[in-house]
Amino acid sequence: MNDRYDFKAIEHKWQERWQQEEPNRVPDVPTGKKYYVLEMFPYPSGKIHMGHVRNYTIGDVIARYKRMRGFEVLHPMGWDAFGLPAENAALKHGIHPAVWTHDNIDYMRTQLKAMGLSYDWKRELATCTPEYYRWEQQLFLRMLAQGLAYRRETTVNWCEDCQTVLAREQVIEGTCWRCDQPVMPRNMAGWFFNITRYAEELLSDLDTLTGWPERVVAMQRNWIGKSTGLACDFLVDGSEEQITIFTTRPDTIFGVTFMSLAVEHPLLKTLSSGLPQHEAVQAFIQETIVNKQRASVEHEVEKRGVFTGRYCINPFNGERVPIYAANFVLMEYGTGAVMAVPAHDQRDFEFARAYSLPVRVVVQPEGEILQEDSMQEASIEPGMLVNSAAFTGMQSEAAQQVIINHAQQQGFGRPHITYKLRDWGVSRQRYWGAPIPVVHCEYCGIVPVPEEELPVLLPGTGKASGSNQPLHQQEEFLATSCPACGKPARRESDTFDTFVESSWYYIRYVSPDCDTSMVDKNAAMAWLPVDQYIGGVEHAILHLLYSRFFTKMLRDLGYIGADEPFTNLLTQGMVLKDGFKMSKSKGNVEDPNTLIEQYGADTVRLFSLFAAPPERDLDWNPQGVEGASRFLARVYRLIAVNMACFTGDGASIVSKKLDAASRQVYRKTHQTIRRVTESIESNFHFNTAIAGVMELVNTIGAPEAAHKLDSAVLRQSLETVLLLLFPMVPHFCEELWQASGHGQALAQSTWPEYSAEAAREDELTIVIQINGKLRGKLQVPADTDDDTLKMLALQEEKVVQQLTGAQPKKIIVVQKKLVNIVV
């Protein structure tokens, strides 16, 4: 055995062996108890970063630990390979996105293997391959048949110069991020998935996700946004048209003083026709649409509006109220029309004050008398109804259902449930994405591509040639014949949103070679759901919500049996440097390749696990990396100079016959097994697990002095160090395990069990307090009972001096920790 820890030679040796032996392969249907652990798969951008290192190391430790606990562990890896960055790189470098993507995959795969990650590489997939997206296309056709996919018009950001749609993030101060030309809203037909059909189940099943962080569940709940209340029809005065509103506060309906419509509301196209306000209304609509498209998601807009010249009738009191077009009303939520109650809604209050509209109080909170003219803000508190006709005098919360019932009886309203969740727009007018498998025929309309003709190949993938221009510019791709009538037709030029691929990849992993369906049902029934999912909290809403939708939809379509995709979710923190997230733009990136070259993969793994609990942000610290390296070198030296203890089969240990130092190490060994096991099982706090092993190493002592310990105790303690550290630093531990004479690989070993008897302390240090202040300490046998502790505490010399004959009022014993004497 080399006297020096040569991490390069060791890591190369074991990576070569793992490559040949493939010890992490599992069958499509496990024969024993299963465990499916998965980290969110990466976009093949070219290089892994420290965030990747942390994420994948966490998953790898869990996978290796669960294998040692007797589970068959599915731990796959793949690539979220479609997306705009590949198109941008292709344009910049003059190559096809497929070339750029697969080159990056090859490089990043090498990096991940250099980390010693225990993936089943035979299950590797890339979402940009026809072998993957053909099943996505097949699923789309089946969704289309079930009404789960449909086409409708929507407003998009359009760059005329680039002839393409832009995401909101690609619009910089109203111009295209690529060409700096103005971006304008444009109505286009697009494809949507009917996720709202599952809104209630997506919401109610959040209660079953007890293994998810509470804040992620709350974020999903808020995004779905269920509201119950009243849908009510306001007739447009002098017209047969009506405006339907939805409100969660029917108790305030007598306080309506104006009506606000979203600028996209269809009624606004004609509402002011023939009136003097028409031109101003239409100009306001266009201006607002443009500003909405250009504004960032976080931007708080000034509340503005314009009077349409028309009025509607409040059906509860027959009052005429003016109708405004307003820039703050969302067409996507509710009905796109809002009954404005400025006395009891802050947004309406601000608008009313700005446009000199009436404010009418209809709910007086208990202990207050609100005066409309002197109000500085809206009152949203419950209270007693006033100015509310027959409902005056009722408590506002109790009155809500009564008012809904009244509206239903009169025929102008009804109880209603609405959600903030909207159907998922999946059309993208880009090139590097999966083609949507329909054709447009002049005679037959929209016609699905027959399943037997799938996949519809993206030019440049599979055997299809083509450029990297958007599909609507590629005539060779577009020209086809109608599957129904055989006449000339045009292929759909939109591609799928890349969230579609990432919404089901975890399902494909269980049977990646299945060539008859997107998933083998037996494999799906055996492996799904994922037991532990790991990724950043930035994916807490869309990716996780879409994955939940796909799981429920695929269950209903008969593909799988699971209700939810991920039983447990760990959202790991970011890697920071000097308090900021690492990024190229800030120039604060630490390259994992450089660190691995300098310190080795095991040191990098150990640092990323030890520096912080997994759910917390990790502050980059070069001294921390050095410290991890020194610790491994110390363990290496400790085992290298004490190889003699590994000779023979190992004698049994009788604790009572051990000398004090050996008994202490024996006890610490079993305490450490317990501590590390509990740290991993309870919350994956690998930092405290590693700290426990470090304490054990400290207890064993200096490498050159450890031979003085009982040989069997020393052997057990050193083997325990390797067993417990193996999931964290696998190359290092395998090398020392083999060098110390073990024939079976450490990866095939079982996790150690601790003896409660061996872990029990011989003596305890008990703190003595008087009225909560430290007054002394006792050394007592570990099995000392409470009455004896009280007696010994009262006899302790310093306590006797402090009490000076006073009788205690009571004596509190905190078991195995302290005695507090209250006088």
Side-chain angles (χ1 to χ4, degrees):
M1 179 179 176
N2 196 327
D3 289 339
R4 184 179 61 86
Y5 172 35
D6 184 354
F7 61 81
K8 289 185 179 180
I10 291 171
E11 290 175 3
H12 176 75
K13 166 187 171 179
W14 286 99
Q15 287 166 19
E16 285 285 312
R17 179 167 170 175
W18 295 333
Q19 178 84 9
Q20 295 169 7
E21 296 180 357
E22 299 178 340
N24 308 307
R25 293 194 66 181
V26 289
D28 281 354
V29 177
T31 56
K33 55 182 182 178
K34 71 93 178 179
Y35 194 87
Y36 185 178
V37 58
L38 183 65
E39 307 94 64
M40 294 179 184
F41 66 168
Y43 181 79
S45 57
K47 288 184 177 181
I48 64 171
H49 51 67
M50 284 305 298
H52 288 132
V53 169
R54 190 182 191 200
N55 186 18
Y56 303 143
T57 300
I58 291 169
D60 193 57
V61 174
I62 296 171
R64 292 181 181 276
Y65 170 76
K66 289 295 182 179
R67 291 189 191 103
M68 295 179 77
R69 300 290 284 185
F71 289 88
E72 288 188 64
V73 176
L74 175 57
H75 188 211
M77 173 50 69
W79 312 95
D80 190 8
F82 276 135
L84 194 58
E87 289 191 49
N88 298 338
L91 291 171
K92 180 179 179 180
H93 300 294
I95 58 175
H96 195 279
V99 175
W100 184 85
T101 299
H102 285 289
D103 284 350
N104 286 350
I105 287 173
D106 290 341
Y107 185 80
M108 291 177 70
R109 185 191 303 111
T110 301
Q111 287 185 294
L112 294 180
K113 288 185 175 181
M115 286 296 301
L117 302 169
S118 60
Y119 293 123
D120 182 350
W121 283 105
K122 293 296 183 182
R123 295 175 182 269
E124 181 183 11
L125 58 81
T127 60
C128 64
T129 62
E131 293 78 15
Y132 185 86
Y133 67 70
R134 68 169 291 191
W135 303 114
E136 191 170 292
Q137 292 175 341
Q138 182 196 70
L139 176 63
F140 172 82
L141 298 180
R142 296 183 182 182
M143 293 174 68
L144 195 61
Q146 296 290 324
L148 287 164
Y150 64 92
R151 195 169 185 256
R152 67 169 170 84
E153 279 211 347
T154 186
T155 303
V156 298
N157 300 308
W158 179 258
C159 175
E160 185 66 26
D161 194 65
C162 295
Q163 285 288 294
T164 191
V165 171
L166 301 177
R168 181 175 289 188
E169 294 77 12
Q170 297 168 325
V171 181
I172 311 298
E173 296 182 354
T175 63
C176 173
W177 68 282
R178 180 183 289 158
C179 68
D180 292 326
Q181 295 303 304
V183 174
M184 299 300 292
R186 181 170 178 175
N187 288 333
M188 292 183 66
W191 290 96
F192 289 79
F193 286 169
N194 192 356
I195 189 174
T196 53
R197 185 184 294 186
Y198 286 85
E200 185 58 36
E201 187 182 356
L202 288 167
L203 182 64
S204 61
D205 281 3
L206 288 172
D207 293 336
T208 70
L209 300 179
T210 56
W212 286 35
E214 289 183 5
R215 67 167 175 161
V216 174
V217 172
M219 292 165 75
Q220 293 240 331
R221 198 181 303 280
N222 292 336
W223 188 264
I224 296 168
K226 181 180 181 179
S227 298
T228 60
L230 169 70
C232 187
D233 304 323
F234 284 60
L235 293 176
V236 177
D237 192 24
S239 164
E240 295 182 358
E241 298 283 359
Q242 67 180 26
I243 298 171
T244 300
I245 63 92
F246 169 77
T247 178
T248 60
R249 292 290 308 274
D251 55 308
T252 66
I253 202 159
F254 285 88
V256 175
T257 62
F258 62 97
M259 178 71 68
S260 302
L261 299 184
V263 293
E264 300 88 353
H265 197 290
L267 194 58
L268 279 180
K269 294 179 181 179
T270 58
L271 190 65
S272 59
S273 296
L275 298 177
Q277 292 86 354
H278 184 68
E279 287 188 11
V281 170
Q282 298 308 308
F284 178 78
I285 290 172
Q286 294 306 312
E287 176 190 355
T288 303
I289 289 175
V290 169
N291 289 338
K292 279 187 175 182
Q293 295 299 117
R294 295 178 177 182
S296 67
V297 177
E298 301 82 8
H299 181 61
E300 179 70 25
V301 298
E302 177 191 358
K303 296 171 182 61
R304 298 177 56 242
V306 62
F307 178 46
T308 64
R310 301 298 294 270
Y311 294 80
C312 60
I313 308 299
N314 185 335
F316 278 85
N317 57 14
E319 191 172 282
R320 293 171 79 243
V321 295
I323 304 171
Y324 278 74
N327 67 344
F328 58 85
V329 181
L330 301 176
M331 193 66 209
E332 298 82 16
Y333 181 65
T335 65
V338 174
M339 67 171 210
V341 186
H344 304 291
D345 182 277
Q346 185 60 29
R347 179 188 56 182
D348 297 340
F349 180 86
E350 293 172 7
F351 190 90
R353 290 297 193 225
Y355 288 87
S356 301
L357 293 165
V359 176
R360 180 186 303 139
V361 172
V362 292
V363 179
Q364 287 286 6
E366 185 177 355
E368 293 186 59
I369 300 178
L370 299 176
Q371 299 289 343
E372 288 91 344
D373 293 342
S374 60
M375 291 179 68
Q376 299 300 310
E377 61 182 6
S379 170
I380 61 173
E381 299 301 318
M384 182 179 291
L385 295 192
V386 297
N387 302 320
S388 299
F391 306 100
T392 296
M394 295 185 67
Q395 289 298 314
S396 58
E397 292 176 333
Q400 291 187 4
Q401 189 59 51
V402 177
I403 290 173
I404 292 173
N405 293 342
H406 174 76
Q408 190 167 21
Q409 291 166 4
Q410 296 300 313
F412 54 70
R414 57 222 154 263
H416 188 66
I417 297 174
T418 191
Y419 301 87
K420 286 194 291 186
L421 179 67
R422 286 294 171 261
D423 281 345
W424 174 10
V426 296
S427 284
R428 296 295 180 268
Q429 293 72 33
R430 301 303 314 153
Y431 165 71
W432 192 235
I436 297 176
V438 297
V439 300
H440 298 270
C441 176
E442 181 180 353
Y443 305 97
C444 305
I446 296 174
V447 182
V449 173
E451 286 192 12
E452 60 270 19
E453 295 182 16
L454 298 179
V456 176
L457 290 174
L458 181 69
T461 66
K463 297 180 180 179
S465 61
S467 69
N468 56 6
Q469 295 301 310
L471 294 184
H472 70 268
Q473 298 176 9
Q474 297 198 47
E475 185 61 31
E476 184 179 349
F477 171 81
L478 293 172
T480 188
S481 58
C482 174
C485 69
K487 294 180 180 179
R490 310 284 284 179
R491 291 195 185 279
E492 173 62 67
S493 59
D494 285 356
T495 55
F496 283 123
D497 176 11
T498 55
F499 271 117
V500 177
E501 285 85 57
S502 62
S503 295
W504 68 279
Y505 77 105
Y506 52 92
I507 295 173
R508 185 64 180 171
Y509 276 141
V510 306
S511 55
D513 298 323
C514 181
D515 59 3
T516 57
S517 177
M518 67 190 306
V519 63
D520 177 85
K521 191 164 186 178
N522 289 331
M525 296 298 290
W527 283 111
L528 296 175
V530 175
D531 294 283
Q532 183 66 59
Y533 199 39
I534 306 161
V537 74
E538 65 271 19
H539 302 292
I541 297 178
L542 294 183
H543 165 59
L544 293 175
L545 185 67
Y546 293 156
S547 297
R548 296 182 64 222
F549 162 59
F550 257 65
T551 297
K552 295 176 186 300
M553 175 183 62
L554 290 171
R555 173 204 63 199
D556 291 348
L557 292 175
Y559 286 93
I560 63 176
D563 295 321
E564 288 286 342
F566 315 118
T567 302
N568 297 289
L569 174 68
L570 172 62
T571 53
Q572 92 281 353
M574 295 186 296
V575 179
L576 308 178
K577 187 172 182 181
D578 300 325
F580 295 96
K581 181 180 179 180
M582 286 189 180
S583 68
K584 293 180 181 178
S585 62
K586 291 187 174 67
N588 64 351
V589 174
E590 292 290 339
D591 184 1
N593 282 8
T594 302
L595 294 171
I596 292 171
E597 179 68 23
Q598 184 175 356
Y599 295 102
D602 281 333
T603 292
V604 176
R605 288 170 61 118
L606 189 68
F607 165 75
S608 70
L609 295 166
F610 183 59
E615 73 277 6
R616 301 281 294 276
D617 290 341
L618 183 157
D619 287 311
W620 173 257
N621 180 358
Q623 288 74 35
V625 182
E626 290 279 0
S629 178
R630 287 195 301 271
F631 173 70
L632 292 182
R634 179 183 175 186
V635 174
Y636 189 93
R637 175 71 178 165
L638 178 62
I639 293 177
V641 300
N642 288 284
M643 279 294 176
C645 74
F646 294 103
T647 57
D649 296 330
S652 59
I653 299 172
V654 180
S655 178
K656 293 180 180 179
K657 295 182 179 181
L658 297 175
D659 61 86
S662 297
R663 187 162 57 250
Q664 182 184 12
V665 170
Y666 178 61
R667 180 169 56 247
K668 189 67 173 179
T669 298
H670 286 269
Q671 290 175 342
T672 303
I673 296 170
R674 179 176 62 193
R675 178 180 177 182
V676 172
T677 304
E678 290 174 352
S679 293
I680 295 175
E681 288 286 351
S682 61
N683 49 20
F684 298 134
H685 277 195
F686 306 117
N687 57 320
T688 59
I690 294 167
V693 178
M694 289 178 172
E695 289 180 15
L696 174 58
V697 170
N698 288 337
T699 303
I700 295 170
E704 289 74 14
H707 70 276
K708 298 177 183 178
L709 296 169
D710 178 88
S711 179
V713 168
L714 179 59
R715 174 174 181 159
Q716 183 190 69
S717 65
L718 295 180
E719 287 179 337
T720 298
V721 167
L722 294 179
L723 286 163
L724 298 182
L725 282 180
F726 170 69
M728 292 84 161
V729 287
H731 315 83
F732 175 88
C733 292
E734 282 285 19
E735 179 67 15
L736 291 176
W737 189 257
Q738 183 187 70
S740 56
H742 296 84
Q744 184 185 46
L746 190 50
Q748 274 71 56
S749 301
T750 58
W751 188 256
E753 299 287 342
Y754 73 91
S755 163
E757 179 65 28
R760 185 176 294 115
E761 293 281 358
D762 287 343
E763 285 192 335
L764 298 174
T765 300
I766 302 297
V767 171
I768 306 174
Q769 297 177 340
I770 298 179
N771 293 335
K773 294 183 179 180
L774 177 65
R775 296 306 182 194
K777 294 180 180 180
L778 292 171
Q779 291 296 125
V780 298
D783 58 358
T784 305
D785 59 41
D786 289 356
D787 290 337
T788 304
L789 285 176
K790 292 177 183 179
M791 181 188 68
L792 292 172
L794 291 172
Q795 293 174 353
E796 210 278 332
E797 182 179 355
K798 292 182 179 178
V799 172
V800 172
Q801 293 173 356
Q802 288 287 325
L803 290 178
T804 61
Q807 291 299 311
K809 294 179 181 178
K810 60 180 176 179
I811 303 175
I812 302 168
V813 177
V814 179
Q815 192 175 26
K816 297 184 179 181
K817 290 186 178 180
L818 64 85
V819 177
N820 185 22
I821 302 169
V822 181
V823 294

